[in-house]
Structure formats: structure tokens, C-alpha cells
């Protein structure tokens, strides 16, 4: 087990915490940077200590699958940045989402989830979890009443993204937290796109925060990582029969309950000592060091990503080849008021737009022409990199969704996702303009779809452009 107490003084401001929080100086050479403890295991001081640590009666590092000093520094830093009690780091964001939910489920349970989630999370919920009897109701993140209505006695979690991938959908987190608590379950928030710089879900009443640290926390597209941050406030002992894995006696824990042993630390104790231990998606120390280095510049980078993305979004909104821009900073966006109220520093570097489709044109070929005409903005299945990236959700991240799921997520065949990087925004705009101009010259676009090929539905029409 790793040390899970936050060591960051509560009064450190975020820009300071991202550099200093959670650091312990235990090395005799006193290195300034966090050392990479590249070890698989640890020498026990004596046999009695080893016994106590394996019985989870004494904290400490036994084996890097369940804890490592470099990884623990990252965990404490993330917990401090989010105002959480503690965190567990994982090998990927996908593992963080999976473990965060698994620790709440007992098989055959039910989850209420936003219909606007990252496609990989939808795969997890609708395929892998379904194999184990877990059912999911997908509801509109903008309508808290739908969440309340979807909850059943078997529900064990509400799951939402604070900024939805790919359409920058913003939920009313306070209302969703209230609905989750009325249903007696925790609200789990994927805060990957927002980062703690733009949103701290625990401040809005959420209980558990998950991250793909691969994105903005690392920030340079080099390293996969994830994390689960626990607010440490949800009372699993209030309904012990609903949460036997946390509040009931378990043979694995000497017939004691984790709640009796760890109180509000029980949730992460279970996540680490059972799910991280048994399934093994552990973050390597070298990867943790990369994320720690990225974190040191987090607020500077997120500010630049956010400002540039708004600038690019405004430019696209005025472009005749663009049918719609999904960015809360664009007038008329349905999330404008939540953005103004809950996101005072903006809504980040990821947003989407719909290409306008000339009558008779093939959506996929139009998208292909646009994407292949980009020179600076790279076609990459990632976000939150220093480089600007483009993706086509219908063909890439969300390709396994059914047409109905894609429609509920607001994704059409011409929806293009952008992750705006740290380059000069004028160069990004120039590249996008060049690719949009290429649509005018493309024969497949101006002449329409090949004979006999159906024009795909769901793509917005582009008025004024002749077929
Ligand atoms: C919102 C969100 N959550 C989770 C993930 C999964 O993270 P990872 O790719 O690090 O496994 C992603 C990846 O794109 C994501 O965008």
C-alpha cells in the first residue's frame, strides 16, 4: 500500500500545488526533481513488518503493482489539486474509469451514465461490463430529472464527463450530485478534458473524479496514465447492505470490513488492494515521472489551449464551409449559461464542429478531403497534446457506437473533433482555412456522391453550395 494522506498544506494555491504538493524528501542526496523509483519490489525491514503489511495492517510499499514512491507522489499531487482526500494512479485513463466503477459494483448492478461520453467508456459500459451483467441507462447530461428517473434500487453509480468528449457538453454538476445522492449513490466525474484548472468536480458535490492523465495532465502526448481521486465524503456505511464490498465483513480482509478499518478511505483501499492488485493496470514509475513533469506547467498550458481553442472556434463559426461549432463559448451554444456560471476560466482546448455538406456530397469523402488537406493539425486519436490534433469521431473514437447512440451523443458523420495545441493560433487557423478551401476544389465534394451510393443521413446540409 502507498501512503495516502495528502501532505499539501490546504492553503497552497493551485499553481504552487502543481509543482510542490505531495513531495516528500527522503533521499540523502536531496534531488530537486521527483526521483524515479525504478523498482518492482521493496526490501522489508523484518518478517513481522512484512506480515503486517501483507495483512494491510501497516502502510508501506510491498510491490510496485499496488504502490510505488514516485507514483505515490503523483497520487498525492493529484488529490491536492482536486481537493480530494487521496488518489490511486493507474496505467491508463481507461483503467481509471473501469476501476472506479468496479469498486462500486457487485455484478448485475446498474449505472446511470451520460449519453455524451468518450467512445472507449461507452465500449466499456455496453460491452465489457455487459458481459458481467452490469446494465447501463444512458441519459441526457443536460437533464438531471432524467438521471433521477433512471435510478433503480440496483443503481450503484452516476457517471458523467465534466466537459463531454467530443462536443464540449457541460452538465450541471451540482444538480447531478444532488440527484445521485437522492438515489443513494456516488457521482463519478471524468474530468479529463477540464483538468482541475478549469473544474474541480468535488467542489460541486461530486464524490469521485477520474482522469485520463494521458491528455492534459501529462500534456505532451508521450505517456499513458490515469487516476482516480476520491473526495472521501460518500458514506458507504449509511446503507451497508448496498455496499457489502466496503461496509461488510470480507474474508479477504480477515473478516473485517474495509469501512471499519479505513472509514472514508475504504473506497480507495478496495480499489487499490483488490482491483489494482488483482487486475494489475498499474502505472509505471517512469510514466508517473512524466506526468509529474507535465503537471508542473498545467495551468499555463491549459490557459493557452483554452484561449486558442476559443479563438479558433470563433473563426470557424464565421466560416461558410462550417455548419455548426460545438463550443460553449460560441453564442447560442446550449451550454453557454453553465459555462458562464461554473467554468470561469473557460472550457478547454477540445471542441468539435460540423462540416457543411454540399447537396449530394458524400459525408465521409468530404471529411476525408478536409482532413487529408491539413498540414499542421495532425490526424491523431488523442487529445491534450502540445500539438494540434484532429479526429473524426464517427470513424474513430466513437465508431463502435450504434447510429442511435451516436445521434444521442450529438455526433454526425461530418462532426470533426479538434484538440487545439500550444502553437501560435494564427498558424492553426491558417491550416484549417487551407483545408476548408480544399473542399471547394475537391471533385467528390462539388460533384456529389458516386452514383448509387446513398448520402449518409445526419450530416448537416451546406446551403449555397451547388451539387
Ligand atoms: C474523457 C476520456 N476519458 C477516458 C479516456 C481513456 O483514457 P486513456 O486513453 O488514457 O486510457 C479518454 C481517452 O481518450 C478520454 O478522452
Amino acid at each position: 500500500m502507498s501512503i495516502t494522506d495528502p501532505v499539501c498544506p490546504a492553503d497552497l494555491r493551485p499553481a504552487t500545488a502543481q509543482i510542490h504538493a505531495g513531495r516528500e524528501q527522503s533521499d540523502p542526496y536531496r534531488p530537486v526533481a521527483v526521483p524515479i523509483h525504478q523498482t518492482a519490489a521493496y526490501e522489508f525491514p523484518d518478517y513481522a513488518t512484512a506480515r503486517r503489511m501483507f495483512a494491510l495492517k501497516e502502510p508501506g510499499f510491498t510491490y510496485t503493482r499496488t504502490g510505488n514512491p514516485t507514483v505515490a507522489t503523483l497520487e498525492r499531487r493529484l488529490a491536492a489539486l482536486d481537493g480530494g482526500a487521496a488518489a490511486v494512479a493507474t496505467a491508463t485513463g481507461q483503467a481509471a474509469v473501469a476501476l472506479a466503477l468496479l469498486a462500486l459494483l457487485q455484478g448485475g448492478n446498474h449505472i446511470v451514465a451520460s449519453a455524451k461520453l468518450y467512445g472507449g467508456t461507452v465500449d466499456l459500459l455496453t460491452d465489457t461490463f455487459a458481459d458481467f451483467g452490469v446494465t447501463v441507462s444512458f441519459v441526457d447530461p443536460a437533464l438531471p430529472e432524467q438521471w433521477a428517473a433512471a435510478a433503480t434500487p440496483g443503481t450503484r453509480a452516476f457517471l458523467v464527463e465534466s466537459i463531454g468528449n467530443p462536443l464540449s457538453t457541460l452538465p450541471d454538476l451540482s444538480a447531478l450530485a444532488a440527484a445521485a445522492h437522492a438515489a443513494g449513490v456516488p457521482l463519478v466525474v471524468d474530468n479529463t478534458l477540464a483538468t482541475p484548472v478549469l473544474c474541480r468536480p468535488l467542489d460541486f458535490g461530486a464524490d469521485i473524479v477520474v482522469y485520463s492523465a494521458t491528455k492534459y495532465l501529462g500534456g505532451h502526448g508521450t505517456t499513458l496514465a490515469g487516476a482516480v481521486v476520491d473526495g472521501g465524503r460518500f458514506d458507504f456505511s449509511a446503507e451497508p447492505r448496498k455496499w457489502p464490498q466496503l461496509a461488510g465483513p470480507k474474508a479477504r480482509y480477515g473478516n473485517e470490513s474495509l469501512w471499519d478499518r479505513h472509514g472514508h478511505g475504504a473506497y480507495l483501499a478496495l480499489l487499490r488492494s483488490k482491483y489494482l492488485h488483482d487486475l494489475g493496470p498499474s502505472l509505471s514509475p517512469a510514466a508517473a515521472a512524466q506526468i509529474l513533469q507535465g503537471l508542473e506547467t498545467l495551468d499555463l498550458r491549459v490557459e493557452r489551449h483554452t484561449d486558442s481553442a476559443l479563438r479558433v472556434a470563433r473563426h470557424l463559426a464565421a466560416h461558410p464551409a462550417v455548419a455548426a461549432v460545438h463550443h460553449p463559448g460560441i453564442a447560442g451554444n446550449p451550454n453557454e449559461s453553465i459555462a458562464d456560471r461554473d467554468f470561469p476560466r473557460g472550457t478547454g482546448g477540445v471542441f468539435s464542429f460540423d462540416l457543411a455538406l454540399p447537396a449530394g456530397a458524400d459525408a465521409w469523402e468530404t471529411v476525408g478531403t478536409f482532413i487529408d488537406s491539413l498540414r499542421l493539425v495532425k490526424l491523431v486519436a488523442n487529445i491534450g497534446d502540445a500539438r494540434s490534433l484532429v479526429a473524426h469521431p464517427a470513424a474513430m473514437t466513437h465508431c463502435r457506437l450504434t447510429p442511435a447512440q451516436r445521434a444521442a451523443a450529438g455526433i454526425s458523420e461530418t462532426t470533426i473533433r479538434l484538440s487545439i495545441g500550444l502553437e501560435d493560433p494564427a498558424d492553426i487557423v491558417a491550416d484549417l482555412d487551407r483545408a476548408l478551401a480544399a473542399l471547394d476544389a475537391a471533385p467528390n465534394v462539388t460533384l456529389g456522391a458516386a452514383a448509387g451510393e446513398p448520402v449518409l443521413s445526419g450530416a448537416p446540409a451546406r446551403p449555397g453550395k451547388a451539387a
Side-chain angles (χ1 to χ4, degrees):
M1 299 290 289
S2 80
I3 302 152
T4 52
D5 287 336
V7 298
C8 174
D11 56 354
L12 276 192
R13 290 170 178 82
T16 314
Q18 71 189 16
I19 297 170
H20 295 286
R23 179 79 161 95
E24 288 179 339
Q25 189 56 272
S26 54
D27 189 293
Y29 297 109
R30 305 185 63 74
V32 174
V34 178
I36 302 175
H37 290 272
Q38 191 65 41
T39 182
Y42 309 85
E43 184 185 349
F44 298 102
D46 50 55
Y47 171 71
T49 308
R51 277 189 73 186
R52 281 196 304 278
M53 284 169 69
F54 267 85
L56 304 181
K57 300 225 158 134
E58 182 172 325
F61 300 109
T62 56
Y63 191 64
T64 285
R65 181 162 12 101
T66 49
N68 170 280
T70 311
V71 176
T73 304
L74 173 64
E75 291 170 342
R76 292 191 295 270
R77 194 158 296 174
L78 289 175
L81 286 171
D82 254 318
V88 171
T90 54
T92 63
Q94 196 69 16
V97 177
L99 265 53
L101 296 172
L102 280 170
L104 299 171
L105 298 170
Q106 283 290 286
N109 291 153
H110 173 252
I111 296 169
V112 183
S114 166
K116 298 184 181 181
L117 291 174
Y118 161 62
T121 306
V122 179
D123 293 340
L124 172 75
L125 297 178
T126 57
D127 190 2
T128 301
F129 276 11
D131 289 346
F132 294 91
V134 176
T135 54
V136 184
S137 299
F138 289 101
V139 290
D140 191 332
L143 301 174
E145 61 276 15
Q146 276 193 7
W147 294 67
T152 72
T155 305
R156 292 294 178 272
F158 279 16
L159 173 68
V160 71
E161 290 174 7
S162 51
I163 299 178
N165 178 359
L167 294 189
S168 306
T169 322
L170 306 179
D172 183 339
L173 285 179
S174 306
L176 292 189
H181 297 157
V185 300
L187 175 64
V188 181
V189 179
D190 184 332
N191 202 37
T192 296
L193 272 67
T195 82
V197 175
L198 302 178
C199 176
R200 298 206 321 170
L202 302 176
D203 294 347
F204 293 90
D207 303 285
I208 295 157
V209 185
V210 292
Y211 286 102
S212 168
T214 314
K215 319 300 184 197
Y216 291 105
L217 302 185
H220 296 80
T222 60
T223 308
L224 292 171
V228 182
V229 179
D230 182 17
R233 290 188 303 237
F234 191 86
D235 185 359
F236 292 98
S237 68
E239 289 184 89
R241 274 197 281 189
K242 189 166 170 179
W243 311 102
Q245 71 275 43
L246 290 158
K250 281 280 160 196
R252 181 175 188 134
Y253 303 111
N255 286 321
E256 289 178 34
S257 103
L258 284 173
W259 189 269
D260 289 344
R261 273 203 202 171
H262 301 282
H264 284 271
Y267 170 74
L268 283 189
L270 179 73
L271 194 149
R272 188 190 298 280
S273 67
K274 176 169 168 154
Y275 292 102
L276 193 64
H277 176 277
D278 290 8
L279 301 178
S282 313
L283 186 63
S284 78
Q290 291 272 300
I291 305 297
L292 280 163
Q293 183 160 329
L295 277 181
E296 293 183 358
T297 54
L298 181 68
D299 70 331
L300 294 173
R301 289 186 289 102
V302 168
E303 206 168 278
R304 172 71 169 261
H305 286 294
T306 301
D307 290 351
S308 296
L310 183 56
R311 190 167 152 184
V312 174
R314 285 186 175 143
H315 179 81
L316 290 175
H319 199 291
V322 171
V325 175
H326 308 284
H327 187 298
I330 298 296
N333 183 283
N335 301 126
E336 223 180 336
S337 59
I338 294 184
D340 289 346
R341 190 190 64 193
D342 295 345
F343 290 80
R345 295 186 70 182
T347 55
V350 175
F351 70 95
S352 295
F353 68 98
D354 297 336
L355 283 175
L357 194 62
D362 179 86
W364 303 85
E365 286 188 19
T366 303
V367 168
T369 301
F370 170 75
I371 287 180
D372 287 341
S373 303
L374 293 164
R375 293 288 169 266
L376 178 70
V377 181
K378 310 288 182 215
L379 177 60
V380 172
N382 197 13
I383 54 173
D385 195 316
R387 287 151 277 266
S388 287
L389 310 177
V390 65
H392 182 214
M396 298 167 68
T397 49
H398 293 69
C399 69
R400 278 177 294 279
L401 271 62
T402 62
Q405 285 173 330
R406 271 210 295 274
I411 296 168
S412 83
E413 281 84 358
T414 64
T415 300
I416 308 272
R417 183 184 74 189
L418 291 175
S419 172
I420 300 301
L422 300 175
E423 305 94 339
D424 188 314
D427 289 326
I428 304 168
V429 164
D431 197 43
L432 293 167
D433 277 351
R434 180 173 37 241
L436 290 169
L439 296 181
D440 283 323
N444 61 297
V445 174
T446 50
L447 299 178
E453 276 181 29
V455 174
L456 293 157
S457 62
R462 181 181 176 191
K465 186 107 194 312

